[in-house]
Amino acid sequence: MRNQIQSIAVRNALLNWFQAHARDLPWRKTQDPYGIWLSEVMLQQTQIATVIPYYQRFLRAFPNFKRLAASPFEKVAEQWSGLGYYRRARHLHLTAQRIVREFGGKFPSDYQKARKLPGVGHYTANAVLSIAYNQPLPALDGNVARVMARLYAWKGHLQQSSFRRAAERKLQELIPLENPGAFNQAMMELGQTVCLPRHPVCEACPLSPWCRAHRLKIPERYPAPKPRRPTESVHLAAAIIQKDRKLAFIRGLDEGLMSDLWNFPAAFGKSKGQALKRLQEKLAKATRKVPRLEKTLGTLRHNITFRSIQVTLHRAKLRDYSPRSGIRWFSIKDLDHAPVSQLARKIAKAIILDHHSALSRHNRGAGLPRRDQAVKQR
Ligand code: SF4
């Protein structure tokens, strides 16, 4: 009974605070499951400020499931370009097609059916169903998990299934039958704006009277940090193939990474030599010709999740390649709107810089008079 009274007090304090402090976000102005689902997908791993303009542009280009489903994926990827994690764009497109085909263009209100859609995990299903269809399902993301861990001073972290189960059970006690979507959004908002990872603003928190971590004066210690996977150092050889001021790209990087994105042809290896050998084999297989990999253009470093990658760029010559090689040609200008990886953008930038410095070296070497020399000669 005491627990129940406390749960009601916590819930009411949170909802009152949310009513007064909720930020004016575009997806909060709609009850349309399409817009709510779109925002939830975009917000996975991406900051709110980054998502807002993408969300608005995307909605203008594809205002509903039907328009999104009918569009070619390339157009969807163009609108997504720069938001990262392109697998989400692929899932978004596939989900829209399934919804049009199987559910008449309406996001299903049944949890089991929603979960079968590409890219709709437990969290996304609960978030969409609670906000769009008023179903009392807890939406436990990283921000909500942090608030819960501190409120009850729980040990453990979100990656542990025992932690997730306990948090969901407790959230289920707190979530109201009426307007559960507002409750879920209020928990997320509190985690994003008040119960911050490093410096929680406990004095502005509506839950401080019940918060155990606050009472213990050590809120930052909750939740426990998740164990880190050790960093792996690898080499990547990438081919820069140029034709008529355009550069060759192929879909996917290597070893199944970035399969939806255009990349410079590349291959991983444990050593520089192994990466280069694998790249040569890969190009020979794709083009049915043994490529001529010429001098090294330079190296750069790039990190993808736990991989620390030393990238070596090789200029390559490719004559008479097969049209079935999967190669697509992009100019540097095209890259602004094309679905290419961040690594490919970084390489393109390095090529431009190299080109400019080579040009200035050339100009100096050719004896073109600098302004001061020109004056002296006169
Ligand atoms: S009182 Fe502090 S630690 Fe507790 S939930 Fe609020 S902001 Fe987080």
Side-chain angles (χ1 to χ4, degrees):
M1 186 67 177
R2 201 167 153 258
N3 276 353
Q4 221 176 345
I5 294 171
Q6 184 174 315
S7 293
I8 295 170
V10 166
R11 175 198 305 158
N12 289 344
L14 179 76
L15 287 171
N16 288 338
W17 169 84
F18 187 58
Q19 213 167 30
H21 296 91
R23 284 169 297 174
D24 184 20
L25 302 174
W27 44 89
R28 289 193 178 149
K29 295 188 178 110
T30 181
Q31 275 301 109
D32 180 4
Y34 174 72
I36 292 163
W37 161 76
L38 177 65
S39 69
E40 286 300 336
V41 177
M42 286 188 162
L43 287 164
Q44 290 163 14
Q45 339 240 14
T46 311
Q47 305 267 333
I48 288 178
T50 310
V51 166
I52 291 173
Y54 277 91
Y55 175 82
Q56 290 168 327
R57 272 200 304 271
F58 204 93
L59 266 189
R60 277 197 294 276
F62 312 110
N64 50 46
F65 284 113
K66 273 192 187 147
R67 292 276 290 277
L68 178 56
S71 164
F73 177 68
E74 286 293 302
K75 292 268 170 237
V76 178
E78 258 173 41
Q79 292 295 329
W80 196 271
S81 175
L83 204 51
Y85 299 95
Y86 276 77
R87 190 172 290 267
R88 291 182 297 171
R90 175 70 72 186
H91 283 156
L92 210 67
H93 194 226
L94 290 172
T95 289
Q97 291 174 333
R98 285 265 304 267
I99 285 179
V100 169
R101 216 170 41 239
E102 296 172 27
F103 303 106
K106 201 162 173 263
F107 195 92
S109 58
D110 178 83
Y111 172 85
Q112 297 301 341
K113 288 179 181 158
R115 281 288 274 115
K116 288 194 180 129
L117 296 166
V120 178
H122 175 63
Y123 164 80
T124 307
N126 279 8
V128 176
L129 297 187
S130 65
I131 300 168
Y133 295 123
N134 276 322
Q135 295 184 19
L137 300 167
L140 180 69
D141 69 357
N143 288 310
V144 175
R146 183 168 59 253
V147 175
M148 295 300 283
R150 289 172 178 176
L151 191 55
Y152 300 103
W154 283 333
K155 296 202 166 69
H157 54 81
L158 185 61
Q159 270 62 37
Q160 290 169 319
S161 49
S162 55
F163 179 97
R164 286 200 302 273
R165 277 199 302 274
E168 288 223 329
R169 258 199 313 273
K170 197 70 201 171
L171 281 167
Q172 202 70 68
E173 275 176 41
L174 294 171
I175 199 165
L177 291 175
E178 204 176 295
N179 212 351
F183 174 85
N184 279 339
Q185 291 184 85
M187 284 297 282
M188 294 175 203
E189 186 88 344
L190 192 71
Q192 287 158 2
T193 62
V194 177
C195 195
L196 303 169
R198 289 212 189 141
H199 304 292
V201 195
C202 299
E203 54 284 9
C205 179
L207 306 189
S208 60
W210 302 278
C211 180
R212 289 191 194 155
H214 172 57
R215 212 174 307 145
L216 293 168
K217 299 193 174 36
I218 45 169
E220 299 86 353
R221 290 207 201 155
Y222 298 91
K226 67 170 184 184
R228 276 180 176 271
R229 186 172 173 169
T231 309
E232 203 179 277
S233 291
V234 284
H235 289 267
L236 184 82
I240 312 301
I241 308 167
Q242 199 172 352
K243 188 185 83 171
D244 303 334
R245 303 176 76 85
K246 291 199 169 185
L247 294 162
F249 283 75
I250 57 170
R251 229 189 242 288
L253 183 66
D254 193 32
E255 297 180 348
L257 276 182
M258 305 179 189
S259 54
D260 286 327
L261 296 177
W262 293 99
N263 285 277
F264 288 94
F268 282 113
K270 286 194 181 123
S271 66
K272 237 182 191 180
Q274 193 193 31
L276 180 60
K277 191 164 172 274
R278 285 198 60 238
L279 174 62
Q280 270 167 327
E281 287 165 2
K282 196 172 169 181
L283 281 173
K285 206 166 150 195
T287 61
R288 299 203 189 133
K289 297 256 185 259
V290 179
R292 265 178 54 205
L293 287 166
E294 295 181 345
K295 63 175 184 182
T296 306
L297 279 175
T299 59
L300 55 88
R301 201 161 265 290
H302 189 74
N303 295 330
I304 301 175
T305 58
F306 59 92
R307 286 185 173 97
S308 169
I309 309 169
Q310 160 107 20
V311 187
T312 307
L313 309 178
H314 300 271
R315 199 176 280 291
K317 281 238 163 74
L318 209 61
R319 291 195 193 96
D320 310 325
Y321 67 94
S322 146
R324 277 179 294 181
S325 61
I327 287 179
R328 183 158 157 192
W329 301 91
F330 289 98
S331 70
I332 293 277
K333 215 166 82 223
D334 294 337
L335 299 185
D336 287 345
H337 303 290
V340 297
S341 69
Q342 287 306 324
L343 172 59
R345 287 182 202 285
K346 204 178 201 178
I347 294 176
K349 208 167 155 191
I351 297 169
I352 298 168
L353 285 176
D354 181 72
H355 178 70
H356 287 318
S357 59
L359 253 185
S360 63
R361 274 198 307 274
H362 169 78
N363 287 347
R364 280 203 299 276
L368 287 180
R370 292 200 305 259
R371 186 181 283 267
D372 50 349
Q373 288 172 334
V375 172
K376 270 183 199 165
Q377 280 167 6
R378 249 188 267 147

